[in-house]
Amino acid sequence: MAARIDSVTEERAIVATNTDATSCKRYATDRGYWKDDFIKYFCKSVERKSPEISRGYFARVKSVYSLLKQFISLTRAAGLKSQVVSLGAGFDTSYWQLYCAGLHPTCYYEVDFVEVTSRKCHLIRSKFPLMDALQGPVEPSFTQDGLQSVNYRLIGADLRNTEELDHKLLAAGIDQEVPTIFVAECVLVYIEPKLSSQLVGWAGNHFSTSVFLNYEPFNANDTFGEVMKKNIKARGCSLLGIDACPDLESQQQRYLANGWTGSWAVAMDTVYQQLLPADEISRIERLEFLDEGDLLTQLLRHYCISVGYNDKSSIGQDHYVCACTCSC
């Protein structure tokens, strides 16, 4: 019984990280780091965040969004359909941004704990701009913890249970033969390594033309990393997977050992300093004064993006890999 209570308590703490992430994104967009016309529907005005946090989120959001756009563009160029599966999606707004840019995939699936998806359902249903992007020949249908529209599906499921995930995605209409990109942001690191490997392996073995895009903390065995783990633990969360993939090589090997034919990984300090457009970096660095540049560098060195890929349909994954996060 005590173990069950601890599990529920930790689940709630993990769910709370969605609130934190959404508030950080809302603050950064209010300050002009990037444009997001939809985040305001998921988060009210928030207190000030430190500049290094906003710059870190800028690098994260721009990188993930860029890679999403590139994948969808590659499938379109090949004359193929595409699917996005956002694992632990929280209150992410990428679907609406892609829709407004005319780059939405054939279908966009979001999966998270029922507690999160039920709240997101309520917020979507109550905001016309969010609902407007779901319209089609068939009206969106809602359940207590999910919704289904022509090209957007919201699903409540536990990512630690791949059998349940597979069943619910198939019931929602996912096609395992369609090129698919899986996105996981700060998700795998909260899952026991055995279960996260099962999740990565399930995706790699069931979707023959696919990408798995993962953003998470790593490199946590130094002083900065120990402080980071301690701070997260104080909020009720355990980074169960932080030691399973401590460096870029192990991040890549996780894919290769679980059904993926190729992989790459890059630390976020490299992304910030070398891959994101220099004019954009210059612009955001003028938004707020950063007192301690070393703190930002340390923060970025402890997060990474890793990608696994399969390319049965030959849509050009080599180009995708080389393009990396260079364009936003």
mmCIF file of all heavy atoms in Angstrom, residues 263-306:
data_model
loop_
_atom_site.group_PDB
_atom_site.id
_atom_site.type_symbol
_atom_site.label_atom_id
_atom_site.label_comp_id
_atom_site.label_asym_id
_atom_site.label_seq_id
_atom_site.Cartn_x
_atom_site.Cartn_y
_atom_site.Cartn_z
ATOM 1 N N SER A 263 21.232 6.646 -35.573
ATOM 2 C CA SER A 263 20.963 7.581 -34.478
ATOM 3 C C SER A 263 22.022 8.667 -34.448
ATOM 4 O O SER A 263 23.121 8.513 -35.011
ATOM 5 C CB SER A 263 20.942 6.854 -33.124
ATOM 6 O OG SER A 263 22.230 6.332 -32.820
ATOM 7 N N TRP A 264 21.686 9.770 -33.812
ATOM 8 C CA TRP A 264 22.650 10.821 -33.505
ATOM 9 C C TRP A 264 22.195 11.539 -32.246
ATOM 10 O O TRP A 264 21.044 11.438 -31.831
ATOM 11 C CB TRP A 264 22.844 11.799 -34.665
ATOM 12 C CG TRP A 264 21.622 12.505 -35.185
ATOM 13 C CD1 TRP A 264 20.868 12.156 -36.270
ATOM 14 C CD2 TRP A 264 21.016 13.703 -34.668
ATOM 15 N NE1 TRP A 264 19.832 13.040 -36.450
ATOM 16 C CE2 TRP A 264 19.901 14.013 -35.490
ATOM 17 C CE3 TRP A 264 21.303 14.545 -33.595
ATOM 18 C CZ2 TRP A 264 19.079 15.112 -35.268
ATOM 19 C CZ3 TRP A 264 20.485 15.648 -33.365
ATOM 20 C CH2 TRP A 264 19.384 15.925 -34.202
ATOM 21 N N ALA A 265 23.118 12.257 -31.633
ATOM 22 C CA ALA A 265 22.806 13.010 -30.416
ATOM 23 C C ALA A 265 23.698 14.232 -30.347
ATOM 24 O O ALA A 265 24.836 14.218 -30.816
ATOM 25 C CB ALA A 265 23.009 12.129 -29.177
ATOM 26 N N VAL A 266 23.172 15.291 -29.749
ATOM 27 C CA VAL A 266 23.929 16.537 -29.643
ATOM 28 C C VAL A 266 23.545 17.242 -28.344
ATOM 29 O O VAL A 266 22.372 17.257 -27.954
ATOM 30 C CB VAL A 266 23.659 17.452 -30.870
ATOM 31 C CG1 VAL A 266 22.188 17.803 -30.995
ATOM 32 C CG2 VAL A 266 24.515 18.708 -30.820
ATOM 33 N N ALA A 267 24.543 17.791 -27.653
ATOM 34 C CA ALA A 267 24.284 18.545 -26.428
ATOM 35 C C ALA A 267 23.712 19.910 -26.770
ATOM 36 O O ALA A 267 24.018 20.491 -27.824
ATOM 37 C CB ALA A 267 25.570 18.693 -25.618
ATOM 38 N N MET A 268 22.908 20.459 -25.858
ATOM 39 C CA MET A 268 22.212 21.705 -26.158
ATOM 40 C C MET A 268 23.141 22.923 -26.188
ATOM 41 O O MET A 268 22.801 23.928 -26.806
ATOM 42 C CB MET A 268 21.082 21.927 -25.150
ATOM 43 C CG MET A 268 19.927 20.943 -25.295
ATOM 44 S SD MET A 268 19.217 20.854 -26.966
ATOM 45 C CE MET A 268 18.517 22.498 -27.126
ATOM 46 N N ASP A 269 24.318 22.848 -25.562
ATOM 47 C CA ASP A 269 25.240 23.973 -25.701
ATOM 48 C C ASP A 269 25.758 24.060 -27.138
ATOM 49 O O ASP A 269 25.949 25.154 -27.676
ATOM 50 C CB ASP A 269 26.394 23.878 -24.698
ATOM 51 C CG ASP A 269 27.236 22.632 -24.860
ATOM 52 O OD1 ASP A 269 26.685 21.583 -25.234
ATOM 53 O OD2 ASP A 269 28.455 22.700 -24.607
ATOM 54 N N THR A 270 25.950 22.910 -27.777
ATOM 55 C CA THR A 270 26.340 22.906 -29.194
ATOM 56 C C THR A 270 25.214 23.443 -30.065
ATOM 57 O O THR A 270 25.452 24.215 -31.009
ATOM 58 C CB THR A 270 26.708 21.478 -29.635
ATOM 59 O OG1 THR A 270 27.780 20.998 -28.834
ATOM 60 C CG2 THR A 270 27.125 21.444 -31.096
ATOM 61 N N VAL A 271 23.984 23.034 -29.755
ATOM 62 C CA VAL A 271 22.827 23.540 -30.494
ATOM 63 C C VAL A 271 22.768 25.062 -30.394
ATOM 64 O O VAL A 271 22.628 25.769 -31.399
ATOM 65 C CB VAL A 271 21.520 22.921 -29.957
ATOM 66 C CG1 VAL A 271 20.301 23.603 -30.577
ATOM 67 C CG2 VAL A 271 21.486 21.425 -30.235
ATOM 68 N N TYR A 272 22.892 25.577 -29.182
ATOM 69 C CA TYR A 272 22.763 27.021 -28.939
ATOM 70 C C TYR A 272 23.891 27.801 -29.603
ATOM 71 O O TYR A 272 23.664 28.844 -30.221
ATOM 72 C CB TYR A 272 22.758 27.280 -27.438
ATOM 73 C CG TYR A 272 22.427 28.706 -27.034
ATOM 74 C CD1 TYR A 272 21.096 29.106 -26.878
ATOM 75 C CD2 TYR A 272 23.429 29.646 -26.817
ATOM 76 C CE1 TYR A 272 20.783 30.403 -26.504
ATOM 77 C CE2 TYR A 272 23.126 30.947 -26.443
ATOM 78 C CZ TYR A 272 21.801 31.317 -26.286
ATOM 79 O OH TYR A 272 21.499 32.606 -25.926
ATOM 80 N N GLN A 273 25.108 27.296 -29.495
ATOM 81 C CA GLN A 273 26.268 28.050 -29.949
ATOM 82 C C GLN A 273 26.583 27.870 -31.431
ATOM 83 O O GLN A 273 27.169 28.756 -32.045
ATOM 84 C CB GLN A 273 27.494 27.654 -29.118
ATOM 85 C CG GLN A 273 27.384 28.021 -27.651
ATOM 86 C CD GLN A 273 28.420 27.313 -26.785
ATOM 87 O OE1 GLN A 273 29.300 26.613 -27.272
ATOM 88 N NE2 GLN A 273 28.295 27.474 -25.468
ATOM 89 N N GLN A 274 26.156 26.730 -32.012
ATOM 90 C CA GLN A 274 26.592 26.438 -33.375
ATOM 91 C C GLN A 274 25.473 26.149 -34.373
ATOM 92 O O GLN A 274 25.679 26.357 -35.579
ATOM 93 C CB GLN A 274 27.541 25.225 -33.360
ATOM 94 C CG GLN A 274 28.786 25.418 -32.516
ATOM 95 C CD GLN A 274 29.669 24.180 -32.517
ATOM 96 O OE1 GLN A 274 29.684 23.401 -33.476
ATOM 97 N NE2 GLN A 274 30.418 23.982 -31.434
ATOM 98 N N LEU A 275 24.326 25.672 -33.927
ATOM 99 C CA LEU A 275 23.319 25.192 -34.861
ATOM 100 C C LEU A 275 22.124 26.109 -35.045
ATOM 101 O O LEU A 275 21.560 26.172 -36.137
ATOM 102 C CB LEU A 275 22.843 23.803 -34.426
ATOM 103 C CG LEU A 275 23.936 22.722 -34.386
ATOM 104 C CD1 LEU A 275 23.367 21.402 -33.894
ATOM 105 C CD2 LEU A 275 24.589 22.554 -35.740
ATOM 106 N N LEU A 276 21.722 26.802 -34.013
ATOM 107 C CA LEU A 276 20.612 27.738 -34.170
ATOM 108 C C LEU A 276 21.107 28.988 -34.895
ATOM 109 O O LEU A 276 22.277 29.364 -34.771
ATOM 110 C CB LEU A 276 20.030 28.103 -32.809
ATOM 111 C CG LEU A 276 19.309 26.964 -32.071
ATOM 112 C CD1 LEU A 276 18.891 27.401 -30.676
ATOM 113 C CD2 LEU A 276 18.100 26.482 -32.859
ATOM 114 N N PRO A 277 20.239 29.656 -35.666
ATOM 115 C CA PRO A 277 20.664 30.828 -36.439
ATOM 116 C C PRO A 277 21.282 31.905 -35.554
ATOM 117 O O PRO A 277 20.703 32.296 -34.536
ATOM 118 C CB PRO A 277 19.355 31.306 -37.079
ATOM 119 C CG PRO A 277 18.501 30.087 -37.146
ATOM 120 C CD PRO A 277 18.828 29.298 -35.915
ATOM 121 N N ALA A 278 22.439 32.403 -35.962
ATOM 122 C CA ALA A 278 23.174 33.389 -35.163
ATOM 123 C C ALA A 278 22.376 34.672 -34.969
ATOM 124 O O ALA A 278 22.444 35.297 -33.896
ATOM 125 C CB ALA A 278 24.514 33.696 -35.826
ATOM 126 N N ASP A 279 21.606 35.081 -35.991
ATOM 127 C CA ASP A 279 20.833 36.313 -35.851
ATOM 128 C C ASP A 279 19.724 36.160 -34.809
ATOM 129 O O ASP A 279 19.405 37.123 -34.091
ATOM 130 C CB ASP A 279 20.251 36.761 -37.196
ATOM 131 C CG ASP A 279 19.352 35.716 -37.834
ATOM 132 O OD1 ASP A 279 19.466 34.518 -37.487
ATOM 133 O OD2 ASP A 279 18.523 36.092 -38.686
ATOM 134 N N GLU A 280 19.153 34.953 -34.695
ATOM 135 C CA GLU A 280 18.135 34.714 -33.687
ATOM 136 C C GLU A 280 18.729 34.700 -32.286
ATOM 137 O O GLU A 280 18.143 35.230 -31.338
ATOM 138 C CB GLU A 280 17.427 33.384 -33.956
ATOM 139 C CG GLU A 280 16.296 33.460 -34.959
ATOM 140 C CD GLU A 280 15.105 34.196 -34.371
ATOM 141 O OE1 GLU A 280 14.296 33.574 -33.665
ATOM 142 O OE2 GLU A 280 15.004 35.418 -34.601
ATOM 143 N N ILE A 281 19.900 34.104 -32.148
ATOM 144 C CA ILE A 281 20.580 34.105 -30.853
ATOM 145 C C ILE A 281 20.913 35.534 -30.443
ATOM 146 O O ILE A 281 20.699 35.936 -29.287
ATOM 147 C CB ILE A 281 21.862 33.250 -30.898
ATOM 148 C CG1 ILE A 281 21.509 31.777 -31.151
ATOM 149 C CG2 ILE A 281 22.652 33.393 -29.602
ATOM 150 C CD1 ILE A 281 20.660 31.142 -30.080
ATOM 151 N N SER A 282 21.405 36.319 -31.379
ATOM 152 C CA SER A 282 21.728 37.720 -31.088
ATOM 153 C C SER A 282 20.484 38.486 -30.661
ATOM 154 O O SER A 282 20.521 39.307 -29.730
ATOM 155 C CB SER A 282 22.359 38.371 -32.322
ATOM 156 O OG SER A 282 22.645 39.727 -32.086
ATOM 157 N N ARG A 283 19.361 38.208 -31.326
ATOM 158 C CA ARG A 283 18.105 38.906 -31.005
ATOM 159 C C ARG A 283 17.634 38.579 -29.593
ATOM 160 O O ARG A 283 17.304 39.492 -28.821
ATOM 161 C CB ARG A 283 17.017 38.518 -32.014
ATOM 162 C CG ARG A 283 15.662 39.177 -31.743
ATOM 163 C CD ARG A 283 14.579 38.636 -32.658
ATOM 164 N NE ARG A 283 14.288 37.226 -32.416
ATOM 165 C CZ ARG A 283 13.515 36.780 -31.435
ATOM 166 N NH1 ARG A 283 12.958 37.638 -30.567
ATOM 167 N NH2 ARG A 283 13.284 35.494 -31.294
ATOM 168 N N ILE A 284 17.593 37.296 -29.242
ATOM 169 C CA ILE A 284 17.050 36.951 -27.926
ATOM 170 C C ILE A 284 17.982 37.385 -26.795
ATOM 171 O O ILE A 284 17.535 37.647 -25.682
ATOM 172 C CB ILE A 284 16.736 35.441 -27.809
ATOM 173 C CG1 ILE A 284 18.013 34.605 -27.834
ATOM 174 C CG2 ILE A 284 15.749 35.008 -28.882
ATOM 175 C CD1 ILE A 284 17.868 33.247 -27.204
ATOM 176 N N GLU A 285 19.280 37.448 -27.075
ATOM 177 C CA GLU A 285 20.215 37.855 -26.033
ATOM 178 C C GLU A 285 20.110 39.338 -25.709
ATOM 179 O O GLU A 285 20.645 39.789 -24.698
ATOM 180 C CB GLU A 285 21.642 37.469 -26.433
ATOM 181 C CG GLU A 285 21.869 35.963 -26.373
ATOM 182 C CD GLU A 285 23.305 35.551 -26.667
ATOM 183 O OE1 GLU A 285 24.075 36.395 -27.192
ATOM 184 O OE2 GLU A 285 23.649 34.392 -26.377
ATOM 185 N N ARG A 286 19.409 40.077 -26.558
ATOM 186 C CA ARG A 286 19.159 41.501 -26.276
ATOM 187 C C ARG A 286 17.874 41.716 -25.476
ATOM 188 O O ARG A 286 17.602 42.835 -25.026
ATOM 189 C CB ARG A 286 19.087 42.293 -27.583
ATOM 190 C CG ARG A 286 20.405 42.363 -28.349
ATOM 191 C CD ARG A 286 20.353 43.428 -29.436
ATOM 192 N NE ARG A 286 19.341 43.133 -30.439
ATOM 193 C CZ ARG A 286 19.552 42.433 -31.559
ATOM 194 N NH1 ARG A 286 20.771 41.944 -31.789
ATOM 195 N NH2 ARG A 286 18.597 42.229 -32.430
ATOM 196 N N LEU A 287 17.081 40.660 -25.315
ATOM 197 C CA LEU A 287 15.791 40.806 -24.647
ATOM 198 C C LEU A 287 15.928 41.040 -23.144
ATOM 199 O O LEU A 287 15.173 41.811 -22.553
ATOM 200 C CB LEU A 287 14.921 39.570 -24.896
ATOM 201 C CG LEU A 287 14.477 39.338 -26.342
ATOM 202 C CD1 LEU A 287 13.729 38.005 -26.457
ATOM 203 C CD2 LEU A 287 13.602 40.484 -26.831
ATOM 204 N N GLU A 288 16.858 40.320 -22.511
ATOM 205 C CA GLU A 288 17.048 40.421 -21.068
ATOM 206 C C GLU A 288 18.542 40.329 -20.755
ATOM 207 O O GLU A 288 19.278 39.568 -21.395
ATOM 208 C CB GLU A 288 16.308 39.308 -20.329
ATOM 209 C CG GLU A 288 14.799 39.350 -20.458
ATOM 210 C CD GLU A 288 14.153 38.215 -19.692
ATOM 211 O OE1 GLU A 288 14.156 37.075 -20.201
ATOM 212 O OE2 GLU A 288 13.655 38.450 -18.576
ATOM 213 N N PHE A 289 18.966 41.060 -19.753
ATOM 214 C CA PHE A 289 20.367 41.013 -19.332
ATOM 215 C C PHE A 289 20.624 39.725 -18.564
ATOM 216 O O PHE A 289 19.877 39.364 -17.650
ATOM 217 C CB PHE A 289 20.695 42.210 -18.450
ATOM 218 C CG PHE A 289 22.085 42.167 -17.870
ATOM 219 C CD1 PHE A 289 23.189 42.363 -18.678
ATOM 220 C CD2 PHE A 289 22.284 41.908 -16.513
ATOM 221 C CE1 PHE A 289 24.473 42.304 -18.154
ATOM 222 C CE2 PHE A 289 23.552 41.860 -15.976
ATOM 223 C CZ PHE A 289 24.650 42.060 -16.801
ATOM 224 N N LEU A 290 21.681 39.024 -18.957
ATOM 225 C CA LEU A 290 22.063 37.792 -18.289
ATOM 226 C C LEU A 290 23.329 38.051 -17.483
ATOM 227 O O LEU A 290 24.392 38.330 -18.038
ATOM 228 C CB LEU A 290 22.305 36.678 -19.312
ATOM 229 C CG LEU A 290 22.723 35.316 -18.758
ATOM 230 C CD1 LEU A 290 21.654 34.745 -17.846
ATOM 231 C CD2 LEU A 290 23.011 34.346 -19.909
ATOM 232 N N ASP A 291 23.200 37.949 -16.181
ATOM 233 C CA ASP A 291 24.301 38.299 -15.289
ATOM 234 C C ASP A 291 25.402 37.251 -15.304
ATOM 235 O O ASP A 291 26.589 37.563 -15.256
ATOM 236 C CB ASP A 291 23.765 38.487 -13.861
ATOM 237 C CG ASP A 291 24.821 39.046 -12.921
ATOM 238 O OD1 ASP A 291 25.587 39.925 -13.344
ATOM 239 O OD2 ASP A 291 24.875 38.584 -11.767
ATOM 240 N N GLU A 292 25.008 35.972 -15.376
ATOM 241 C CA GLU A 292 25.985 34.895 -15.310
ATOM 242 C C GLU A 292 25.879 34.000 -16.546
ATOM 243 O O GLU A 292 25.089 33.067 -16.589
ATOM 244 C CB GLU A 292 25.777 34.054 -14.055
ATOM 245 C CG GLU A 292 25.991 34.813 -12.752
ATOM 246 C CD GLU A 292 25.857 33.902 -11.538
ATOM 247 O OE1 GLU A 292 26.408 32.786 -11.584
ATOM 248 O OE2 GLU A 292 25.196 34.307 -10.574
ATOM 249 N N GLY A 293 26.695 34.313 -17.561
ATOM 250 C CA GLY A 293 26.685 33.517 -18.787
ATOM 251 C C GLY A 293 27.133 32.097 -18.565
ATOM 252 O O GLY A 293 26.689 31.171 -19.256
ATOM 253 N N ASP A 294 28.012 31.894 -17.585
ATOM 254 C CA ASP A 294 28.505 30.534 -17.308
ATOM 255 C C ASP A 294 27.386 29.615 -16.841
ATOM 256 O O ASP A 294 27.407 28.414 -17.124
ATOM 257 C CB ASP A 294 29.603 30.573 -16.243
ATOM 258 C CG ASP A 294 30.901 31.160 -16.766
ATOM 259 O OD1 ASP A 294 31.027 31.266 -18.001
ATOM 260 O OD2 ASP A 294 31.767 31.515 -15.958
ATOM 261 N N LEU A 295 26.405 30.179 -16.137
ATOM 262 C CA LEU A 295 25.289 29.364 -15.654
ATOM 263 C C LEU A 295 24.474 28.824 -16.820
ATOM 264 O O LEU A 295 24.059 27.662 -16.817
ATOM 265 C CB LEU A 295 24.404 30.175 -14.709
ATOM 266 C CG LEU A 295 23.213 29.433 -14.083
ATOM 267 C CD1 LEU A 295 23.686 28.208 -13.315
ATOM 268 C CD2 LEU A 295 22.433 30.367 -13.158
ATOM 269 N N LEU A 296 24.252 29.660 -17.841
ATOM 270 C CA LEU A 296 23.535 29.210 -19.033
ATOM 271 C C LEU A 296 24.311 28.093 -19.733
ATOM 272 O O LEU A 296 23.732 27.069 -20.113
ATOM 273 C CB LEU A 296 23.309 30.372 -19.995
ATOM 274 C CG LEU A 296 22.709 29.988 -21.361
ATOM 275 C CD1 LEU A 296 21.321 29.392 -21.207
ATOM 276 C CD2 LEU A 296 22.685 31.197 -22.300
ATOM 277 N N THR A 297 25.607 28.275 -19.883
ATOM 278 C CA THR A 297 26.432 27.258 -20.532
ATOM 279 C C THR A 297 26.368 25.935 -19.784
ATOM 280 O O THR A 297 26.218 24.862 -20.379
ATOM 281 C CB THR A 297 27.890 27.732 -20.630
ATOM 282 O OG1 THR A 297 27.938 28.949 -21.384
ATOM 283 C CG2 THR A 297 28.758 26.686 -21.320
ATOM 284 N N GLN A 298 26.456 25.997 -18.461
ATOM 285 C CA GLN A 298 26.367 24.788 -17.642
ATOM 286 C C GLN A 298 25.007 24.113 -17.813
ATOM 287 O O GLN A 298 24.913 22.886 -17.934
ATOM 288 C CB GLN A 298 26.608 25.124 -16.168
ATOM 289 C CG GLN A 298 28.049 25.381 -15.813
ATOM 290 C CD GLN A 298 28.887 24.111 -15.901
ATOM 291 O OE1 GLN A 298 28.455 23.027 -15.523
ATOM 292 N NE2 GLN A 298 30.101 24.246 -16.412
ATOM 293 N N LEU A 299 23.964 24.915 -17.814
ATOM 294 C CA LEU A 299 22.612 24.373 -17.978
ATOM 295 C C LEU A 299 22.487 23.642 -19.312
ATOM 296 O O LEU A 299 22.004 22.504 -19.378
ATOM 297 C CB LEU A 299 21.591 25.508 -17.892
ATOM 298 C CG LEU A 299 20.113 25.127 -18.032
ATOM 299 C CD1 LEU A 299 19.667 24.288 -16.850
ATOM 300 C CD2 LEU A 299 19.253 26.383 -18.140
ATOM 301 N N LEU A 300 22.944 24.283 -20.384
ATOM 302 C CA LEU A 300 22.817 23.700 -21.717
ATOM 303 C C LEU A 300 23.666 22.439 -21.869
ATOM 304 O O LEU A 300 23.292 21.523 -22.608
ATOM 305 C CB LEU A 300 23.209 24.727 -22.779
ATOM 306 C CG LEU A 300 22.280 25.945 -22.906
ATOM 307 C CD1 LEU A 300 22.895 26.983 -23.830
ATOM 308 C CD2 LEU A 300 20.905 25.536 -23.407
ATOM 309 N N ARG A 301 24.794 22.384 -21.188
ATOM 310 C CA ARG A 301 25.658 21.206 -21.274
ATOM 311 C C ARG A 301 25.041 19.976 -20.617
ATOM 312 O O ARG A 301 25.514 18.865 -20.813
ATOM 313 C CB ARG A 301 27.008 21.504 -20.601
ATOM 314 C CG ARG A 301 27.939 22.355 -21.437
ATOM 315 C CD ARG A 301 29.217 22.670 -20.683
ATOM 316 N NE ARG A 301 30.117 23.492 -21.482
ATOM 317 C CZ ARG A 301 31.204 24.083 -21.010
ATOM 318 N NH1 ARG A 301 31.523 23.949 -19.720
ATOM 319 N NH2 ARG A 301 31.970 24.811 -21.812
ATOM 320 N N HIS A 302 23.999 20.191 -19.850
ATOM 321 C CA HIS A 302 23.367 19.080 -19.137
ATOM 322 C C HIS A 302 22.021 18.673 -19.738
ATOM 323 O O HIS A 302 21.242 17.955 -19.104
ATOM 324 C CB HIS A 302 23.224 19.430 -17.649
ATOM 325 C CG HIS A 302 24.550 19.429 -16.945
ATOM 326 N ND1 HIS A 302 25.431 20.482 -17.025
ATOM 327 C CD2 HIS A 302 25.169 18.493 -16.179
ATOM 328 C CE1 HIS A 302 26.519 20.203 -16.310
ATOM 329 N NE2 HIS A 302 26.381 18.998 -15.799
ATOM 330 N N TYR A 303 21.766 19.127 -20.959
ATOM 331 C CA TYR A 303 20.589 18.688 -21.710
ATOM 332 C C TYR A 303 21.025 18.325 -23.122
ATOM 333 O O TYR A 303 22.018 18.854 -23.635
ATOM 334 C CB TYR A 303 19.512 19.779 -21.768
ATOM 335 C CG TYR A 303 18.733 19.921 -20.488
ATOM 336 C CD1 TYR A 303 19.224 20.677 -19.432
ATOM 337 C CD2 TYR A 303 17.506 19.281 -20.322
ATOM 338 C CE1 TYR A 303 18.520 20.799 -18.241
ATOM 339 C CE2 TYR A 303 16.792 19.393 -19.132
ATOM 340 C CZ TYR A 303 17.299 20.155 -18.102
ATOM 341 O OH TYR A 303 16.603 20.261 -16.930
ATOM 342 N N CYS A 304 20.287 17.425 -23.741
ATOM 343 C CA CYS A 304 20.649 17.011 -25.097
ATOM 344 C C CYS A 304 19.406 16.671 -25.907
ATOM 345 O O CYS A 304 18.316 16.455 -25.367
ATOM 346 C CB CYS A 304 21.589 15.806 -25.063
ATOM 347 S SG CYS A 304 20.811 14.257 -24.534
ATOM 348 N N ILE A 305 19.610 16.638 -27.214
ATOM 349 C CA ILE A 305 18.630 16.085 -28.147
ATOM 350 C C ILE A 305 19.248 14.845 -28.762
ATOM 351 O O ILE A 305 20.407 14.860 -29.184
ATOM 352 C CB ILE A 305 18.268 17.096 -29.248
ATOM 353 C CG1 ILE A 305 17.312 18.158 -28.708
ATOM 354 C CG2 ILE A 305 17.625 16.391 -30.442
ATOM 355 C CD1 ILE A 305 16.933 19.213 -29.719
ATOM 356 N N SER A 306 18.488 13.763 -28.786
ATOM 357 C CA SER A 306 18.941 12.547 -29.465
ATOM 358 C C SER A 306 17.853 12.073 -30.413
ATOM 359 O O SER A 306 16.665 12.303 -30.174
ATOM 360 C CB SER A 306 19.293 11.454 -28.452
ATOM 361 O OG SER A 306 18.149 11.016 -27.750
#
